Amino acid sequence: MFNLIRNPRALAARIAALLALVWLAACQPGPMGNSGQKIDTSAPVKVALLVPAGSGNSGDETLARALQNAANLAIQDLKGARIDLQVYNTAGNPQQAAAMATKAADEGAKIILGPVYAQSANAAGLAVASRNINVLAFSNNTNVAGGNVFVLGPTFQNTANRLVSFATRQGKKRIMVVHEQTTAGEIGAQAIQTAVARSGASLAGVASYPFSQQGVVDATPQIASRVKSGDVDALFLTADTAGALPLLTQLMGEQGVTPQMTQYIGLTRWDIPPATLSLPGTQGGWFAEPDPALQQQFVSRYSAAYGQAPHPIAGLAYDGIAAIGALVKSGNPSALTKQGLTQRSGFVGVNGVFRFLPDGTNERALAVAQVRNGQAVVIDPAPRNFGGFGF
């Protein structure tokens, strides 16, 4: 399967497109002094939704419709909170995102939901930072988080914290990190190492490989040798199915290293695409996912309302509206300020409970699943609230 990586640059571009929003160029977030707009809770609160429509790219148009649909679905579910949602098209580029954020501010928006791509999120945040308006972006690139920009997307650090904490509780305390030599791979590896340090586990080593088929082939014997040295309890992999995961796990098995002898842990979703669950090398491996029951409820409701399944990140628009609605419903004029957004109790979204952190990143409750006989089986459910919640 990994023979797709005959052209690493082309594959890297495709993965970036599939992830839609992950590791675009890092930019500087807005000033840290931003607090956010005060609101009149007796009147509808104007919320701007920035979507990537207008780029001419069919994928952007599909995503834009899905985000708007999910936001409208969330508004229908609000009880006691009035939201006046205005939609602005960014064409998927930073300049247009900045212009639309400015227009939204001119038209009375108290908070901005979106945009998707990291550079656009950064541009929108900078455009309205001086207007004291917070931005809840659909990105998961933590490099743009901070100041008036909060990211809604699931982050590597959140996933790594959850999985390392679980592994440590299961006695898998000597963790080795294996990552591809790409921007995403490097950031993912750093997130795992940070999680290991904070959990009390020990780092049993870090290994990497060039992002190519031959690179994996050449690196695998050395990685396997290190694992078989006897002091590695778990192997934490940053690879996904579109990249090295199929070949890497196959070759590791041929070298005598399997999830049955050394626990495999995946930083990415091993159930996307579902075919990953059938790979021999992933059997027994662990990965994290949102609460599957809540996920399915959202898919069913969205499909019933719009006649098709939602885009994979459409739920972020629902979550953003759910959070804004809960805050508006509180009746606090300062609900949409940084203090309100970062309340410790968090919010309930379609993928489970989540909360924004003061640094602009987020914490999401995740389930831990294990691959068993080609199926994802939850072995540690996602918490349903933040009482006693921690990684």
Side-chain angles (χ1 to χ4, degrees):
M1 295 180 70
F2 198 63
N3 59 5
L4 293 173
I5 302 185
R6 291 191 176 123
N7 184 340
R9 289 185 179 179
L11 181 59
R14 188 171 78 252
I15 290 174
L18 287 172
L19 292 177
L21 62 157
V22 186
W23 304 118
L24 298 175
C27 305
Q28 293 299 313
M32 293 302 293
N34 181 279
S35 61
Q37 286 279 308
K38 296 292 183 70
I39 59 173
D40 178 2
T41 58
S42 66
V45 175
K46 287 193 175 183
V47 176
L49 174 64
L50 271 58
V51 298
S55 68
N57 179 292
S58 61
D60 283 345
E61 299 299 329
T62 298
L63 175 55
R65 284 194 300 273
L67 292 169
Q68 187 172 351
N69 287 343
N72 285 328
L73 196 63
I75 289 175
Q76 294 172 23
D77 291 342
L78 295 179
K79 307 296 183 185
R82 292 184 293 167
I83 300 295
D84 178 8
L85 187 70
Q86 301 294 321
V87 182
Y88 300 84
N89 296 333
T90 69
N93 73 70
Q95 295 76 20
Q96 182 76 354
M100 290 299 99
T102 299
K103 182 179 180 183
D106 291 342
E107 295 178 352
K110 298 300 183 181
I111 194 166
I112 292 175
L113 183 58
V116 174
Y117 304 111
Q119 289 177 327
S120 294
N122 183 78
L126 289 172
V128 297
S130 63
R131 309 283 289 271
N132 209 30
I133 296 175
N134 286 318
V135 174
L136 309 184
F138 300 130
S139 176
N140 58 359
N141 186 336
T142 57
N143 287 325
V144 301
N148 63 325
V149 177
F150 297 82
V151 294
L152 275 160
T155 68
F156 280 167
Q157 193 63 65
N158 188 73
T159 301
N161 289 343
R162 175 68 166 108
L163 288 167
V164 169
S165 177
F166 176 76
T168 300
R169 295 198 303 272
Q170 307 310 307
K172 308 296 184 182
K173 298 184 178 181
R174 298 173 297 182
I175 300 173
M176 181 176 177
V177 181
V178 177
H179 69 92
E180 60 272 25
Q181 294 170 9
T182 63
T183 301
E186 296 285 350
I187 295 175
Q190 185 56 56
I192 299 168
Q193 292 177 69
T194 300
V196 168
R198 67 176 284 183
S199 72
S202 62
L203 188 64
V206 178
S208 66
Y209 50 86
F211 195 53
S212 66
Q213 182 173 9
Q214 193 59 48
V216 176
V217 171
D218 292 342
T220 301
Q222 289 79 17
I223 297 171
S225 177
R226 176 69 188 85
V227 174
K228 290 187 289 185
S229 65
D231 64 344
V232 177
D233 297 324
L235 203 60
F236 208 140
L237 312 174
T238 64
D240 61 14
T241 308
L245 187 64
L247 181 61
L248 179 60
T249 54
Q250 174 192 331
L251 295 180
M252 290 293 286
E254 293 173 0
Q255 293 285 330
V257 178
T258 67
Q260 288 69 45
M261 65 169 289
T262 302
Q263 183 63 55
Y264 283 10
I265 306 174
L267 187 62
T268 60
R269 291 277 299 273
W270 283 9
D271 58 338
I272 299 177
T276 308
L277 298 171
S278 299
L279 295 175
T282 64
Q283 304 308 304
W286 297 340
F287 65 94
E289 64 175 349
D291 188 313
L294 295 179
Q295 266 193 310
Q296 187 53 51
Q297 288 177 18
F298 173 64
V299 171
S300 297
R301 288 196 58 215
Y302 185 101
S303 300
Y306 301 109
Q308 59 186 23
H311 187 281
I313 71 166
L316 298 181
Y318 188 106
D319 287 358
I321 292 295
I324 294 168
L327 290 169
V328 170
K329 185 179 177 181
S330 72
N332 182 354
S334 299
L336 300 185
T337 64
K338 189 169 189 176
Q339 183 178 7
L341 289 169
T342 57
Q343 62 177 25
R344 290 183 60 82
S345 58
F347 311 97
V348 179
V350 294
N351 293 315
V353 296
F354 68 98
R355 60 186 173 190
F356 296 109
L357 302 179
D359 63 0
T361 63
N362 67 69
E363 195 170 47
R364 287 181 172 272
L366 299 172
V368 177
Q370 184 174 42
V371 183
R372 295 180 182 171
N373 300 317
Q375 301 291 322
V377 178
V378 173
I379 57 176
D380 195 37
R384 291 295 181 92
N385 60 66
F386 284 104
F389 183 69
F391 301 146

